[in-house]
Amino acid sequence: MPLTPRLRLRSRPQPDPSPHQLPPQPEISQRPFGRQPQISPYRLPPPGEPGTTLRRARPGRRRYRKAALLASAVSLCLVAAAAPAEPLGVGDRLYPYLGNPGYDVASYALDFTYTAQDKPLEAVTTIDARATADLERVNLDFTHGTVHSVEVDGLPAGFTSAGEDLVVTPRHPPAEGRWFRITVRHTSDPVYGKDQQGGWVRTADGLAMANQADAAHLVFPCNDHPSDKAMFSFRITAPNAYTVVANGLPTGAARHGATTTWTYRNRHPMATELAQVSIGRSAVVRREGPHGLPLRDVVPAAAREALEPWLAKTPEQIAWMEGKVGRYPFETYGVLMAQASTGFELETQTLSLFEKSLFTEPGYPEWYLESIMVHELSHQWFGDSVTPRAWSDVWLNEGHATWYEALYSEETTKRPLETRMRDAYGASDRWRAAGGPPARPKPPAPGQKIDLFRPNVYDGAALILYALRQEIGRPAFERLERLWVQRHRDATAGTADFVRLASAVAGRDLEGFLRPWLYGEKTPPMPGHPDWKPTAAPKAAEPHLRR
């Protein structure tokens, strides 16, 4: 991504490297995440029934020990669980308490009722999951909401909070290998102002989502780590004047008096951080992409005509990306141009989020805006379809998106990729010192969840791809790129997986070459460019990059 004052957020038989050669992969608990989600034996609730339970609760008198309301910034109203609870995580080095061990989510059914911008949404979240260990309790990531009730397999369950976890104690704890369903009735409370760390984003006329990297659990209870991808369905009720769009394809819209209920469903698994729901006075612009791909863009109704020249560019951009890495991986695509001030763009799955003002106000040249569109589009392959197994692998997302953004600019506007990579090489040592090596970035600063997105994982990571192409040649590199998105489609993958596949494609072990580029404190010499040297810091501070 070009250096700009904006942030961007926004997927063969070679021996495995020995443990002393590469850091252990993944950086999270060993669980069967990342492949196609296992199919739950339970019927997925239809879009109109997201809160459906498995069976009736058993009759008879029930007694529950009530807990005092917890005084916290998230105003979580909870019933005490029988045993002490503690926040858990899957061991991610950068977000230690993100995600939860012991189960694998197959699907989420999200039900939101929107009434006004300044009011919490009433919500029901239904989760189908399989236990990968015997569980006395089930931890979910959730905060910024009031929990009304929790059921497990249709029976009321105890619940309490611990850190940013909602800790559920089922009446019948799930045993390893067992499927179970959790239904949480709660509010989903938008957070605005200086405390905004993602989640719901206020637009001029409604809401949208920005959940990367550590914020989906500000919206709904979930296993909020990219290693646990799942299927999603959405049911959103809003006043009739509003249009609602979510990830995936629509499955219905039913009007009931003054409100309309909109339903959507994904056809591919998705990480929680990529969920998107747009609620606003919007126009939905439809067209056809390559191979008959249905495209839908969501824009403020009043700006539809002004934005049309930009929206019309998407089919050609998809065709360009398909020429580089193969068929588009999902069932639909489009852009959500929100009338909001975010400071970033975001690659939410099948519906990338952009600030409308980026395209309607002067300040950025046309070639630059097109490159941003390609950056977020390329994330549909790199980051969304092939998702990082741990957040330290984010360089695989952002490095590739930056690579194709720069390559598109080279091929369409004659802005040489080599010039950009030479400039990045000059700054690379400074980026590594400030943010860490690309494949082992420094943790975000306290209270700054998106501080992970620094130049070292954008142009600093694209520089690794350039070095690899220099080392193995363009034909092998282009074959590697296609194989990467084919072999890990709808799955998760990490840095060690990329090194192994690159070695297989090149026909030789590349661990020794790539390790200094991935993990070194200093930038290695660039193959083919012995004259490239680090440069002194500019007088002005280097701006951030876009997500």
Side-chain angles (χ1 to χ4, degrees):
M1 188 60 215
L3 293 178
T4 142
R6 303 175 57 79
L7 274 172
R8 165 173 291 160
L9 280 179
R10 355 104 131 334
S11 278
R12 279 164 180 114
Q14 205 57 9
D16 289 350
S18 64
H20 69 273
Q21 291 175 307
L22 283 174
Q25 291 286 328
E27 293 182 327
I28 57 178
S29 304
Q30 296 295 330
R31 296 190 292 155
F33 289 168
R35 297 293 160 188
Q36 284 280 7
Q38 306 231 4
I39 302 302
S40 165
Y42 303 148
R43 174 181 65 87
L44 282 178
E49 304 174 4
T52 301
T53 54
L54 298 176
R55 56 182 180 272
R56 293 184 182 276
R58 295 178 180 174
R61 243 170 64 176
R62 304 178 183 124
R63 299 189 181 191
Y64 302 98
R65 184 163 50 89
K66 292 186 177 180
L69 294 177
L70 297 176
S72 71
V74 299
S75 65
L76 212 55
C77 302
L78 303 167
V79 179
E86 59 180 352
L88 301 177
V90 294
D92 194 285
R93 183 178 65 86
L94 298 174
Y95 300 96
Y97 290 103
L98 204 58
N100 294 285
Y103 62 94
D104 188 358
V105 176
S107 67
Y108 295 93
L110 305 182
D111 183 337
F112 298 109
T113 299
Y114 173 88
T115 55
Q117 249 188 356
D118 58 351
K119 294 183 179 179
L121 291 79
E122 288 296 329
V124 180
T125 296
T126 304
I127 301 171
D128 280 351
R130 185 178 63 87
T132 58
D134 292 340
L135 295 172
E136 292 184 7
R137 294 184 294 270
V138 180
N139 279 49
L140 300 172
D141 300 303
F142 184 57
T143 187
H144 287 302
T146 298
V147 176
H148 301 313
S149 67
V150 179
E151 294 178 354
V152 178
D153 292 345
L155 299 176
F159 57 98
T160 188
S161 67
E164 294 192 356
D165 281 9
L166 170 65
V167 184
V168 178
T169 303
R171 181 177 294 186
H172 302 296
E176 182 177 359
R178 177 189 161 198
W179 288 93
F180 60 96
R181 173 173 288 179
I182 298 179
T183 302
V184 184
R185 289 172 172 82
H186 60 97
T187 64
S188 185
D189 301 357
V191 181
Y192 304 123
K194 65 180 181 180
D195 294 328
Q196 174 71 46
Q197 289 283 309
W200 289 114
V201 173
R202 177 178 285 182
T203 65
D205 56 0
L207 296 172
M209 282 187 193
N211 295 330
Q212 197 181 67
D214 181 18
H217 65 282
L218 275 64
V219 177
F220 59 96
C222 57
N223 202 28
D224 195 10
H225 193 272
S227 57
D228 194 1
K229 298 171 73 166
M231 305 301 288
F232 277 74
S233 63
F234 301 85
R235 181 179 186 268
I236 304 100
T237 301
N240 291 334
Y242 289 82
T243 298
V244 176
V245 183
N247 309 91
L249 292 172
T251 55
R255 179 171 293 196
H256 306 283
T259 64
T260 300
T261 298
W262 308 73
T263 55
Y264 293 83
R265 190 183 293 275
N266 277 20
R267 291 184 179 175
H268 297 265
M270 181 170 72
T272 52
E273 46 112 0
L274 300 173
Q276 182 59 268
V277 172
S278 166
I279 304 170
R281 300 177 188 274
S282 308
V284 179
V285 183
R286 304 185 186 279
R287 71 189 78 237
E288 193 173 276
H291 322 293
L293 177 71
L295 304 180
R296 49 87 176 91
D297 301 307
V298 184
V299 300
R304 175 174 179 168
E305 185 175 344
L307 292 170
E308 173 59 25
W310 296 103
L311 306 179
K313 296 179 183 293
T314 298
E316 180 276 330
Q317 292 170 348
I318 293 175
W320 184 86
M321 276 298 301
E322 287 188 338
K324 300 300 179 186
V325 294
R327 287 285 285 263
Y328 177 75
F330 299 123
E331 64 272 23
T332 185
Y333 185 65
V335 299
L336 165 58
M337 293 191 175
Q339 199 161 336
S341 179
T342 59
F344 56 80
E345 297 11 278
L346 181 62
E347 66 274 12
T348 40
Q349 190 163 310
T350 73
L351 187 62
S352 294
L353 173 66
F354 294 85
E355 284 184 312
K356 178 192 76 77
S357 60
L358 193 64
F359 299 91
T360 57
E361 297 178 5
Y364 295 100
E366 182 174 344
W367 70 266
Y368 174 69
L369 297 179
E370 287 193 47
S371 73
I372 292 175
M373 294 179 72
V374 171
H375 181 110
E376 304 307 337
L377 170 63
S378 63
H379 270 309
Q380 302 298 312
W381 285 264
F382 300 94
D384 294 10
S385 179
V386 185
T387 302
R389 188 170 294 132
W391 275 111
S392 291
D393 299 316
V394 71
W395 77 274
L396 287 165
N397 302 11
E398 300 301 347
H400 276 100
T402 303
W403 174 262
Y404 287 104
E405 163 198 323
L407 194 61
Y408 183 84
S409 293
E410 178 178 65
E411 294 187 7
T412 60
T413 63
K414 310 304 179 186
R415 298 178 180 276
L417 174 70
E418 183 174 311
T419 299
R420 180 164 174 173
M421 292 298 99
R422 184 184 62 229
D423 293 344
Y425 189 92
S428 179
D429 280 358
R430 299 195 303 275
W431 292 342
R432 288 170 183 250
R440 196 167 180 81
K442 293 181 180 179
Q448 299 294 323
K449 291 184 176 184
I450 63 173
D451 191 46
L452 170 65
F453 299 94
R454 310 178 182 106
N456 58 323
V457 300
Y458 289 88
D459 284 65
L463 192 65
I464 296 173
L465 300 177
Y466 182 81
L468 180 60
R469 193 179 75 169
Q470 290 288 104
E471 177 72 11
I472 67 176
R474 187 185 298 260
F477 178 81
E478 292 176 351
R479 187 163 64 253
L480 166 64
E481 294 289 275
R482 287 178 172 268
L483 283 173
W484 177 252
V485 297
Q486 290 171 10
R487 293 195 176 184
H488 299 288
R489 182 180 182 182
D490 287 341
T492 63
T495 300
D497 298 310
F498 189 79
V499 172
R500 281 192 291 268
L501 185 59
S503 297
V505 170
R508 56 190 174 92
D509 186 1
L510 291 172
E511 192 275 333
F513 171 77
L514 283 171
R515 182 178 176 82
W517 283 98
L518 293 165
Y519 301 107
E521 293 183 4
K522 298 292 185 180
T523 311
M526 177 60 71
H529 296 286
D531 55 319
W532 286 11
K533 304 294 180 185
T535 59
K539 294 181 180 179
E542 291 179 355
H544 290 290
L545 300 178
R546 189 182 312 276
R547 279 147 86 180

